């Protein structure tokens, strides 16, 4: 239940090879044994892209890939972080400790500083830690030794960064011996991830804590709540990595889209004589008008033009100065943007929000052609992401086409886009041939341009949410 705290489970570490290896590496690194372990899953969003920060529902599920952190509280005020992944560079300006297998970071637990200009892995841990610290109003935190191990492909759109924020939040809460509900943790972690400079909406953190095995979730916001969505038994969801990495905090694309949606909401509100200066999300405009998503699409056609807006035109529409636009509405990293595509972004958001509700309705009613209908919605979603939201890339489009060619009823980008993964709905009886054909068509290229470690193509099923392991 969402009102409960994340579960704490006893575990025989010796019976779990990954936990055992993590325990051994922790002992080798710190000369001691972890007191507990925390896990948080990655996620795949089945439908509902770029709508959570606009106030609309999303439909993700947790995947089996996850982040694990082995933890030992210590009596000093030093936070020592290490990562088992040798691909990550060492990241400390304080302790330049580096070994062949572990990348380290060390800082004072009493003075947490997060560098927004560098979305490096340890900063995501610090986001989760700082979120819990600020929630409880703590000036000092106890120190801890932490070893991080993840098998979610980074920068793939499967939420490895948010999983680390959530893991760190639950680690800190457990070290403090305090309790929060899953909903409270999700809201704290969604807010605290913004310390890294990403204006996200909360989907990733919500599914990380609220996920349950065997079911996808409709995640709704304000207030945050989750509803089970039973997926079709005759189909499998397959994730394929395009092998194009996109770190959403390292590029302006994501934050520009957030701002375009905010500006579109304000212009729509002004057009309908609402208090536009208090409106931040496209959902608020619909709620204040009390009309359907389909009607909001018609309002968008009337109120906004397809040609890009300049900052000057936006100022004329709203009756404000450029200085007011920059200081009161735009985020610091969008001050220098010269064009805003408000019509296209609003059209995507309102149509995508409607597709989420249609997807849930089909899952509930379970018609005979359920898989085909869900596939059509996923295909429409990708077209909108590609053409109206412009968050795809040539490799994603190629991969989507290949997936459809070899048996997927629907395929779309998942996650922020501009790289990362696709998700496809595949009839169960076609799965084996689908995997073989997609692997051959996309990954076994004659130019050998795709690094083997990046090749991720796998069927997945809904996994469980974040929890704490205690060695039995």
């Amino acid at each position: 239940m969402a009102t409960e705290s994340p579960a704490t489970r006893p575990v025989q570490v010796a019976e779990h090879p990954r936990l055992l290896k993590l325990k051994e590496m922790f002992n080798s690194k710190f000369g001691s044994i972890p007191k507990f372990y925390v896990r948080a899953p990655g996620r795949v969003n089945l439908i509902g892209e770029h709508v959570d920060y606009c106030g609309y529902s999303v439909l993700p599920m947790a995947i089996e890939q996850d982040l694990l952190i082995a933890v030992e509280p210590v009596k000093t005020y030093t936070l020592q972080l290490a990562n088992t992944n040798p691909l990550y560079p060492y990241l400390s300006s304080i302790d330049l400790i580096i070994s062949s297998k572990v990348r380290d970071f060390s800082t004072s637990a009493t003075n947490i500083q997060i560098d927004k200009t560098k979305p490096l892995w340890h900063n995501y841990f610090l986001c989760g830690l700082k979120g819990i610290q600020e929630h409880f109003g703590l000036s000092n935190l106890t120190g801890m030794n932490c070893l991080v191990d993840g098998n979610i492909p980074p920068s793939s759109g499967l939420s490895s960064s948010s999983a680390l924020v959530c893991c760190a939040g639950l680690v800190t809460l457990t070290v403090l011996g305090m309790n929060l509900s899953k909903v409270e943790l999700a809201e704290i972690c969604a807010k605290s991830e913004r310390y890294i400079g990403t204006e996200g909406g909360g989907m990733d953190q919500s599914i990380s804590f609220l996920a349950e095995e065997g079911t996808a979730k409709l995640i709704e916001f304000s207030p945050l709540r989750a509803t089970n969505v039973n997926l079709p038994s005759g189909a499998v969801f397959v994730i394929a990595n395009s092998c194009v990495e996109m770190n959403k905090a390292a590029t302006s694309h994501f934050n520009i889209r957030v701002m375009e949606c905010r500006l579109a909401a304000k212009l729509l509100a002004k057009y309908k004589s609402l208090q536009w200066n208090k409106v931040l999300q496209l959902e608020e405009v619909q709620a204040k008008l009390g009309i359907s998503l389909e009607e909001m699409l018609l309002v968008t056609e009337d109120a906004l033009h397809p040609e890009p807006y300049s900052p000057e035109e936006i100022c004329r529409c709203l009756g404000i100065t450029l200085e007011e636009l920059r200081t009161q509405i735009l985020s610091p990293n969008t001050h220098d943007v010269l064009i805003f595509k408000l019509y296209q972004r609003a059209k995507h958001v309102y149509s995508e929000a409607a597709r989420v509700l249609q997807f849930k309705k089909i899952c509930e009613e379970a018609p005979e052609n359920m898989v085909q209908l869900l596939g059509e919605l996923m295909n429409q979603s990708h077209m909108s992401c590609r053409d109206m939201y412009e968050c795809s890339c040539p490799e994603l489009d190629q991969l989507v086409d290949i997936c459809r060619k070899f048996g997927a009823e629907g395929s779309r980008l998942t996650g922020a886009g501009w790289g990362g993964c696709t998700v496809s709905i595949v009839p169960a009886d076609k799965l084996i041939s689908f995997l073989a054909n997609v692997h051959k068509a996309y990954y076994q290229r004659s130019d050998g341009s795709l690094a083997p470690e990046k090749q991720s193509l796998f069927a997945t099923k809904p996994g469980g949410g974040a929890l704490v392991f205690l060695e039995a």
Side-chain angles (χ1 to χ4, degrees):
M1 295 290 290
T3 54
E4 296 173 351
S5 298
T8 298
R9 288 186 190 164
V11 64
Q12 296 285 349
V13 171
E15 296 176 5
H16 296 269
R18 190 162 157 229
L19 278 177
L20 181 59
K21 184 179 178 184
L22 188 59
K23 178 182 177 180
E24 291 169 348
M25 290 184 75
F26 188 98
N27 188 28
S28 174
K29 170 69 197 162
F30 296 112
S32 52
I33 301 297
K35 292 293 184 291
F36 63 91
Y37 306 82
V38 169
R39 134 199 228 256
R43 63 98 189 97
V44 59
N45 192 25
L46 301 179
I47 198 160
E49 224 58 77
H50 289 281
V51 299
D52 58 340
Y53 53 77
C54 296
Y56 284 110
S57 306
V58 290
L59 214 156
M61 67 182 190
I63 57 175
E64 294 158 67
Q65 285 80 354
D66 60 16
L67 269 164
L68 281 173
I69 304 183
V71 187
E72 178 194 26
V74 293
K75 292 180 179 176
T76 67
Y77 289 104
T78 300
L79 171 66
Q80 291 197 78
L81 301 177
N83 196 317
T84 63
N85 190 337
L87 295 176
Y88 289 105
Y90 65 81
L91 301 167
S92 175
S93 58
I94 301 164
D95 285 351
L96 299 182
I97 310 165
I98 185 167
S99 72
S100 61
K101 291 189 177 179
V102 179
R103 301 306 192 245
D104 298 355
F105 172 81
S106 177
T107 189
S108 168
T110 61
N111 184 27
I112 301 300
Q113 300 291 326
I114 299 171
D115 187 349
K116 282 189 178 184
T117 67
K118 296 177 181 176
L120 302 169
W121 73 267
H122 73 271
N123 281 329
Y124 288 96
F125 186 101
L126 297 179
C127 285
L129 183 147
K130 188 172 182 180
I132 298 297
Q133 179 188 24
E134 293 193 344
H135 177 81
F136 288 110
L138 304 172
S139 55
N140 292 327
L141 284 176
T142 183
M144 56 181 117
N145 296 332
C146 299
L147 180 57
V148 178
D149 180 65
N151 57 14
I152 308 167
S155 302
S156 64
L158 300 178
S159 198
S160 59
S161 54
S162 295
L164 181 50
V165 175
C166 293
C167 233
L170 187 50
V171 163
T172 308
L173 187 72
T174 307
V175 167
L176 292 171
M178 295 179 172
N179 285 303
L180 290 170
S181 71
K182 295 174 185 178
V183 164
E184 288 171 318
L185 274 164
E187 290 177 334
I188 290 166
C189 289
K191 182 181 175 184
S192 67
E193 189 166 332
R194 293 172 194 158
Y195 295 139
I196 202 79
T198 305
E199 300 284 336
M203 168 180 62
D204 301 346
Q205 301 82 6
S206 300
I207 191 64
S208 193
F209 285 110
L210 300 174
E212 293 180 57
E213 280 189 45
T215 180
K217 293 279 187 179
L218 179 78
I219 306 281
E220 300 171 90
F221 303 96
S222 300
L224 177 60
R225 56 209 184 277
T227 307
N228 289 353
V229 177
N230 293 320
L231 301 173
S233 57
V236 180
F237 288 92
V238 178
I239 294 170
N241 194 343
S242 71
C243 303
V244 176
E245 291 192 3
M246 184 274 178
N247 185 323
K248 70 185 179 190
T251 176
S252 62
H253 293 315
F254 185 90
N255 287 334
I256 291 171
R257 294 299 183 277
V258 175
M259 201 49 55
E260 286 175 319
C261 290
R262 185 174 299 175
L263 291 168
K266 289 182 180 296
L267 264 67
L268 288 169
K270 179 82 184 290
Y271 178 80
K272 298 300 282 187
S273 302
L274 301 173
Q275 277 191 292
W276 65 265
N277 56 322
K278 294 186 177 180
V279 169
L280 293 175
Q281 296 179 322
L282 286 164
E283 187 276 337
E284 293 175 67
V285 183
Q286 184 199 357
K288 289 177 187 299
L289 294 176
I291 61 178
S292 69
L293 286 163
E294 290 72 24
E295 288 171 308
M296 277 310 310
L297 285 166
L298 296 176
V299 171
T300 301
E301 291 282 353
D302 292 338
L304 303 176
H305 56 67
E307 298 76 26
Y309 288 74
S310 67
E312 290 78 10
E313 183 179 4
I314 290 168
C315 289
R316 287 197 299 274
C317 291
L318 296 178
I320 60 174
T321 66
L322 271 173
E323 181 63 19
E324 287 171 326
L325 176 67
R326 289 199 174 101
T327 58
Q328 297 175 21
I329 300 177
L330 298 181
S331 58
N333 49 19
T334 57
H335 281 180
D336 298 325
V337 178
L338 298 177
I339 60 166
F340 298 94
K341 296 187 178 183
L342 308 189
Y343 169 88
Q344 291 85 348
R345 309 319 182 214
K347 289 272 284 188
H348 166 77
V349 169
Y350 288 130
S351 63
E352 185 78 347
R355 282 186 286 270
V356 171
L357 300 180
Q358 290 165 353
F359 195 102
K360 176 177 181 280
K361 187 168 183 276
I362 291 166
C363 288
E364 288 172 343
E365 296 176 352
E368 282 188 20
N369 61 341
M370 178 181 186
V371 175
Q372 179 191 342
L373 293 174
L374 296 178
E376 287 172 2
L377 288 174
M378 292 173 70
N379 290 337
Q380 291 168 18
S381 173
H382 184 76
M383 286 174 58
S384 185
C385 286
R386 181 190 67 202
D387 301 336
M388 302 306 283
Y389 220 72
E390 297 177 282
C391 61
S392 189
C393 67
E395 293 86 353
L396 279 172
D397 294 338
Q398 180 192 11
L399 186 51
V400 161
D401 289 342
I402 288 170
C403 290
R404 291 176 189 162
K405 177 182 177 182
F406 289 114
E409 289 287 348
S411 187
R412 58 180 293 277
L413 66 83
T414 186
W418 298 288
C421 290
T422 63
V423 59
S424 303
I425 185 170
V426 181
D429 58 359
K430 294 182 180 179
L431 177 62
I432 294 174
S433 62
F434 174 84
L435 293 172
N437 286 323
V438 172
H439 186 269
K440 183 177 180 182
Y442 189 79
Y443 297 98
Q444 292 183 332
R445 296 183 185 178
S446 57
D447 62 1
S449 60
L450 299 186
E453 67 269 16
K454 290 184 181 178
Q455 293 182 16
S456 295
L457 176 67
F458 57 91
T460 189
K461 55 188 177 183
L467 50 78
V468 178
F469 291 123
L470 291 176
E471 186 162 9

